[in-house]
Amino acid sequence: MSTTETAPVDNGVNVEALLGARAALTEMPPAAAFTWKARCEWVRGTHSRTSIDGFFGLGEEQSHRQTFTIDTDHPEVFAADDNGATPVETALAALTGCLVGGVASVATHRGIQLRSVTATIEGDMDLQGILGIDPEVRNGFNGIRVSFDIDADATPEEKQALVAQSQKRSAVFDLITNPTAVVVSA
Amino acid sequence: MSTTETAPVDNGVNVEALLGARAALTEMPPAAAFTWKARCEWVRGTHSRTSIDGFFGLGEEQSHRQTFTIDTDHPEVFAADDNGATPVETALAALTGCLVGGVASVATHRGIQLRSVTATIEGDMDLQGILGIDPEVRNGFNGIRVSFDIDADATPEEKQALVAQSQKRSAVFDLITNPTAVVVSA
């Protein structure tokens, strides 16, 4: 065997640590109860800023290395200032981020070296919903399409299997394709 | 009547333009067919970067004023580098951004001056789902809670009505509470 064939893949994912975490949480299910959090402040008009700095998990409060902020706004065609992606585009970014991160994790677990991964996403929406023009039209997307382009040491079938497994374990894919209860209080 | 009572509210939302857009789209429904888009590039490990620069709407391709990018990653407790909010936190930001922007729009339409709006959000998740420990546990959130704190010239009932109307017209609220078809191709 050549050196190339035996070189371990390095996609930047620590699979051993993840498998260890899975083993630990299998032994202690309460530690797997996570609560993700964010706080959103209105800026002006439809512009707002959501800050993300910590979450609860492994039985205690956890901190991110830094506070992450995500600005959202409406575009100029809605007579707004376009100071951020729209909330629906942000939701699309959540899905692509989840699926692409998943592909990297699964590829590493399967010993597949990645060179590049790109996911393009489109979501169709009939604005007659959110504008209240037609009550039969839903507010959200009518459908979403994600297309992957993967450059890796893998066959087309292996690449398809990476994406399929990422989709199977994706929290955001589940969030979008299945209903979740949301309680809003004022 | 005092000057204060007759002063128009200024929340930074151009309600007249929005009402004009609704009237125009009521006359020309095909212009209301939008397609929102994003493109995600894998960076390393579970870190990826999604870019948002344009969308299709009003019958033609539209550009944002600038390209917006959203980085997502996993936190250090998952043996990752924490170079961005997690995808699920990003989904929570999409929801708060949508609901808060909606509150500003509805408040302006109703002549309510806002001073501040804050929305805090929490989503519970059992990681036994995404880790594949228990097939009966879903990957996504078990439930999401959003709590508003609004400082405005309005009664508590009026504030609750603002939030209720924002929720009723929210694209991301619909996206999370109802199922959407997602087609992923590799």
Side-chain angles (χ1 to χ4, degrees):
Chain A
M1 287 161 64
S2 75
T3 306
T4 302
E5 283 169 340
T6 57
V9 302
D10 180 8
N11 293 322
V13 176
N14 188 337
V15 167
E16 292 71 24
L18 287 175
L19 293 174
R22 183 166 73 176
L25 293 179
T26 301
E27 296 299 311
M28 195 166 50
F34 273 58
T35 299
W36 303 98
K37 307 173 183 183
R39 176 184 173 90
C40 179
E41 300 275 354
W42 173 61
V43 179
R44 178 177 165 79
T46 49
H47 180 202
S48 67
R49 181 170 297 136
T50 298
S51 300
I52 297 148
D53 56 15
F55 53 92
F56 180 87
L58 305 181
E60 59 188 352
E61 293 294 333
Q62 305 283 348
S63 294
H64 279 293
R65 287 200 302 143
Q66 64 178 92
T67 298
F68 300 111
T69 60
I70 297 176
D71 282 52
T72 53
D73 199 356
H74 284 179
E76 292 179 319
V77 295
F78 296 171
D81 293 335
D82 201 20
N83 283 311
T86 61
V88 295
E89 290 165 324
T90 304
L92 295 181
L95 179 56
T96 52
C98 201
L99 291 174
V100 169
V103 163
S105 296
V106 177
T108 307
H109 192 214
R110 295 184 178 181
I112 295 174
Q113 179 65 50
L114 299 174
R115 280 181 292 272
S116 72
V117 182
T118 305
T120 54
I121 188 167
E122 294 187 343
D124 300 325
M125 184 175 290
D126 183 344
L127 259 64
Q128 293 182 94
I130 56 175
L131 288 172
I133 295 172
D134 184 346
E136 298 300 310
V137 174
R138 71 177 289 187
N139 294 324
F141 292 110
N142 294 318
I144 294 172
R145 297 172 295 282
V146 186
S147 178
F148 271 86
D149 184 7
I150 298 174
D151 181 11
D153 294 328
T155 66
E157 293 71 23
E158 286 171 330
K159 293 177 187 176
Q160 287 170 7
L162 287 182
V163 172
Q165 181 63 20
S166 172
Q167 182 177 330
K168 183 179 175 186
R169 283 281 163 256
S170 167
V172 180
F173 183 84
D174 178 16
L175 177 71
I176 291 178
T177 56
N178 295 298
T180 300
V182 180
V183 176
V184 182
S185 59
Chain B
M1 286 162 66
S2 75
T3 307
T4 304
E5 285 168 342
T6 57
V9 303
D10 180 10
N11 293 323
V13 176
N14 189 337
V15 167
E16 292 71 25
L18 288 175
L19 293 174
R22 184 167 71 176
L25 293 179
T26 302
E27 297 299 311
M28 196 166 51
F34 274 57
T35 299
W36 303 98
K37 307 173 184 182
R39 177 183 172 89
C40 179
E41 300 274 354
W42 173 61
V43 179
R44 178 177 164 77
T46 49
H47 179 204
S48 67
R49 180 170 298 137
T50 299
S51 301
I52 296 148
D53 57 15
F55 53 92
F56 180 87
L58 306 181
E60 59 187 353
E61 293 295 332
Q62 306 283 347
S63 294
H64 279 293
R65 288 200 301 144
Q66 62 177 95
T67 299
F68 300 111
T69 59
I70 298 176
D71 283 53
T72 52
D73 199 356
H74 284 178
E76 292 178 320
V77 294
F78 296 171
D81 293 335
D82 200 20
N83 283 311
T86 61
V88 295
E89 290 165 323
T90 304
L92 295 180
L95 179 56
T96 52
C98 200
L99 291 173
V100 169
V103 163
S105 297
V106 176
T108 307
H109 191 213
R110 296 183 179 182
I112 296 173
Q113 180 64 51
L114 299 173
R115 281 181 293 272
S116 71
V117 182
T118 305
T120 53
I121 189 166
E122 294 188 343
D124 299 324
M125 183 175 290
D126 183 343
L127 259 64
Q128 293 182 95
I130 57 175
L131 289 172
I133 295 172
D134 184 346
E136 298 300 310
V137 175
R138 70 176 290 187
N139 295 324
F141 292 110
N142 294 318
I144 295 172
R145 298 171 295 282
V146 186
S147 177
F148 271 85
D149 184 6
I150 298 175
D151 182 9
D153 294 329
T155 65
E157 292 72 23
E158 287 171 331
K159 293 176 187 175
Q160 287 169 7
L162 287 182
V163 172
Q165 181 63 21
S166 173
Q167 183 178 328
K168 183 179 174 186
R169 285 280 164 260
S170 167
V172 180
F173 182 84
D174 177 17
L175 177 71
I176 292 177
T177 56
N178 294 299
T180 300
V182 179
V183 176
V184 181
S185 58

